[in-house]
Amino acid sequence: MVGGAATLLASSPGCKGSSAASGLFSDEQRTALRTFADVVIPPDDEPGGADLGAVPYIERLLTAFDGNDTPAIFAGGPFSGRQPFPDASGHASTNFPTSDFADLIELDRVSEASWRLRILGSPGLSNGGPNQKLTGAIASLRDQLVSGLDAAISSADPPLAQQSPDDREATFNAQPPAFKNLIIELVTEAAFAAPEYGGNIGLAGWKMCHFEGDSQPLGYSQWDGGKHVERPESPLSTANPGPDVAPISPDVDQLLKLVIAFIGGRTA
Amino acid sequence: MRKTLYGNTQLDKFDVIVIGSGAGGGPIAHVLAAAGQKVLVLEAGPCHFDNIDDPAHDIVARFSNDELKIERRNFMLQNENVEPRTWRTAAGDGPRIETLTGNVQFLPKTVGGGSVHADLKMPRFESQDFQFGTLLKNVQNASFADWPVQYDELEPFYAWGERLLGVQGKLGSNPFESKRSGEYPMPPGPPMYGSLVVQKGLSALGYTMFPYPTAVNSIPYDGRPPCNNCGFCSSYGCPINAKGSSAVTVLRKALLTGNCQLRAETRVVRLVANGSGTAITGVETIDPLGARVTFTADRFVLAASPIEDVRLLLLSGGLGNSSGMVGRNLMFHYQTIAFGIYGERVHGYRGRAVAQGFADFRGKPNDAAHPLAGITEISGGGLPVGEASYYARVLAQAKAGKWNGKLFKALMRESPARDRVMLLVVQAEDAPQVTNIVDLDPDYVDLDGLPVPRCTYKSHPFEVANGQFYEPKLLDIMMKSGARYAAITPRDDVPSSQHIMGTLRFGNDPKTSVCDKNGKFHDIGNLFASDGALFPTSSGYNPTMTIATLALRVGAAMVNPASPASVIKP
Ligand SMILES: Cc1cc2nc3c(=O)[nH]c(=O)nc-3n(C[C@H](O)[C@H](O)[C@H](O)COP(=O)(O)OP(=O)(O)OC[C@H]3O[C@@H](n4cnc5c(N)ncnc54)[C@H](O)[C@@H]3O)c2cc1C
Ligand code: SF4
């Protein structure tokens, strides 16, 4: 007899094979989302949250259960194809693996139920989730975003499009903390996670924070048959070559001192 | 169709069923299968190791340097919205502390268990650690107990485990380590730059840094490649199988004997006992599609980790509990974490999470000048998605909830909390207490409608005082090594250590312990435990080498009760 999740998994609302971008947000909501993504990570000489791909990232996540394809929750492994294999002498070769990240991994029964509950809320599971009687119905990620965006749009005066960057930050800061935190979480995931999830366009998020990204199969030390050798530009056991790419600025120094004083630490 | 059945798929009669395939389950499956027993391993989590049972091909792991998949999307963890755990400090809190219902001491859920997630720092315990019943009798409201096996008896099993899992290290480099019968199977791998920076402070203050014993290949070993220090190690499965998890070492060996079958995504939900509860006759499971299926065998091994072992006994009507000790003496290491932020980029995110450590803060029993705490890991910072969340929390607190995008971007570029930070993590002895207990939550259930585990846990003044003793010394080290800013990380109320021990303590007296010296339940003739649940005390060293060692010994005693050591393979 087959029971459990086979019967627990209700069909997704809006499960009509809709394409990633269609039907999820109105144009106005999508524009507001881009605006807030740029509040979280403001554009300057490098891209902001919007151009780092916040909207495609969020749309990809929220439509994971639309259609019959493997939900885009877990990218495959082990390699992305961005880094080469080492050669026999331990140096980077010109031989790159194929991209396994592009092959999505199927969800097991429990993970699927969990992600349906998160993305689709209680309607995503036929019993509404295991503890609905105790916790009440769980709102879908979609509803949390859409209702939060609508509330922000209607409260913005003048409309977001007419506001300066500073005013937009103030409008964002006036939103309820739960909505703000959700936007910050999703925008920063988009900016700094692997690009296969839809964000970090052109690896610009990793470039911005001076992060090399996924390092396999090269890694930071390579076996040459007798010892480990290291990448001169990104060494493991010695200091980085060259000057600091972005030394600590006075604003960051001030913040760190504040935090350290608050938790009773020490400053040199 | 997902693959969930591995090894000898034709087997349908089993001598032994092992519940859980992690650090405790893998080694015992190996010992038993190698001795010709027909073994069924039942694992609740999925299998991410292609070819794990194929002798003709290397294993291809589906893990990757993917922060989102592993850290945010729970690729190989329980999911708190459908498998919650609850927590409270004491019965007086009511059924639970409501707001913290969720991911309490999360369950690593995958073939290989937590040995896949761990960066596998694998030191042995010291010989004193097995004697605290005698040495620490006077600590009020604590239940320290001697172990029924002592270091000398375990030493050959430690050495066997180190060979099987592949542990790197340097004999004699930790001045406090107990006598070893030989060198580590592999030399230490390359150090991380950040550890060498911290070493300046350690040396100035007279402490001894040493290469951390770790089950990670530093050279080609046992058909697996050397670690390339990819930087995505703790919490991440190894994409190249350089990490000696249970899955790629002992479990694979067991599967290749032809005597072992592994069923992934198959969760045991009940032990079926005879009428008197003195023998187990079978286990009821929920299979990958959600159907209930029962398996039978002659003997059964609990290796589902301490919290789930107890849950299973309670879901089965409260078996094995004539002592009243089932679920009691739950322990986690009491962690004190200091961070130092440097002016230079020490790039601690490169490498295998922890390459060096020191044991000067392990201490001695009853020595006020050196109170008992634990080994200290020298660890690098995290990765950018986590880093961003950290800054978001800091900004929210420092700026009264107001977001400041420009400052956030500056933080990400300048990276104080990733590229410039090093951590000192003390894994301190946690006094066992009978009031720290796992039971079933009276209300919350999981996806399948089964009550979830509830942990009632509060730290003892013993570890709190010992931790506080070392806090200023940790800051001294950071500042002497050149840190610009240093502090002790504020503690969460829910203990954050992933070292889970106790709940089925073993001992010689059936009135005060659940299992005997060989891991067999005093009350149940054919049920054994082979994981950290057996620990009577926690030590102040990472537990997993000792978990694997005990699992090998429990398996060896099942094969040859008169002489477990005779089962050890050179
Ligand atoms: C991120 C991280 C880093 C760590 N680093 C270290 C380290 O460096 N050094 C160290 O010593 N320790 C470390 N640990 C802890 C280490 O992982 C554990 O000590 C060890 O894995 C515990 O072994 P175990 O066999 O008790 O449980 P696990 O290894 O967790 O295995 C239990 C298995 O049982 C399965 N299971 C549970 N319930 C059931 C059921 N009902 N039916 C079937 N299967 C079930 C689970 O899915 C799991 O796979 C770390 C842990 C984590 C999460
Ligand atoms: S650091 Fe080494 S052992 Fe750890 S995941 Fe990377 S390659 Fe594997």
Side-chain angles (χ1 to χ4, degrees), chain B residues 42-94:
Chain B
L42 297 171
E43 168 53 55
C47 182
H48 301 301
F49 298 95
D50 294 358
N51 311 329
I52 189 170
D53 55 355
D54 181 351
H57 294 97
D58 288 339
I59 294 177
V60 176
R62 295 296 163 205
F63 309 110
S64 41
N65 288 179
D66 180 342
E67 193 184 359
L68 195 73
K69 170 171 141 185
I70 304 290
E71 301 272 17
R72 284 297 171 88
R73 296 193 170 178
N74 282 10
F75 181 57
M76 45 180 188
L77 286 181
Q78 71 179 82
N79 289 286
E80 65 182 76
N81 61 355
V82 294
E83 308 166 279
R85 286 175 169 184
T86 64
W87 170 78
R88 59 182 183 169
T89 62
D93 289 339

Side-chain angles (χ1 to χ4, degrees), chain B residues 361-415:
Chain B
F361 297 168
R362 171 60 188 133
K364 293 276 167 222
N366 311 309
D367 179 347
H370 305 96
L372 269 185
I375 191 168
T376 307
E377 305 165 355
I378 305 174
S379 166
L383 294 158
V385 176
E387 182 186 17
S389 295
Y390 176 74
Y391 297 145
R393 284 199 304 277
V394 167
L395 284 173
Q397 279 189 350
K399 304 279 170 191
K402 299 277 180 243
W403 185 253
N404 180 331
K406 285 197 187 101
L407 189 52
F408 171 75
K409 204 165 181 179
L411 283 163
M412 289 304 294
R413 285 175 169 146
E414 296 166 31
S415 197

Side-chain angles (χ1 to χ4, degrees), chain B residues 4-61:
Chain B
T4 54
L5 185 58
Y6 298 85
N8 185 343
T9 57
Q10 303 304 310
L11 289 177
D12 59 2
K13 282 204 165 45
F14 301 100
D15 298 311
V16 184
I17 288 178
V18 177
I19 303 166
S21 66
I28 199 164
H30 165 64
V31 179
L32 296 169
Q37 303 263 302
K38 302 288 180 261
V39 180
L40 172 61
V41 179
L42 297 171
E43 168 53 55
C47 182
H48 301 301
F49 298 95
D50 294 358
N51 311 329
I52 189 170
D53 55 355
D54 181 351
H57 294 97
D58 288 339
I59 294 177
V60 176

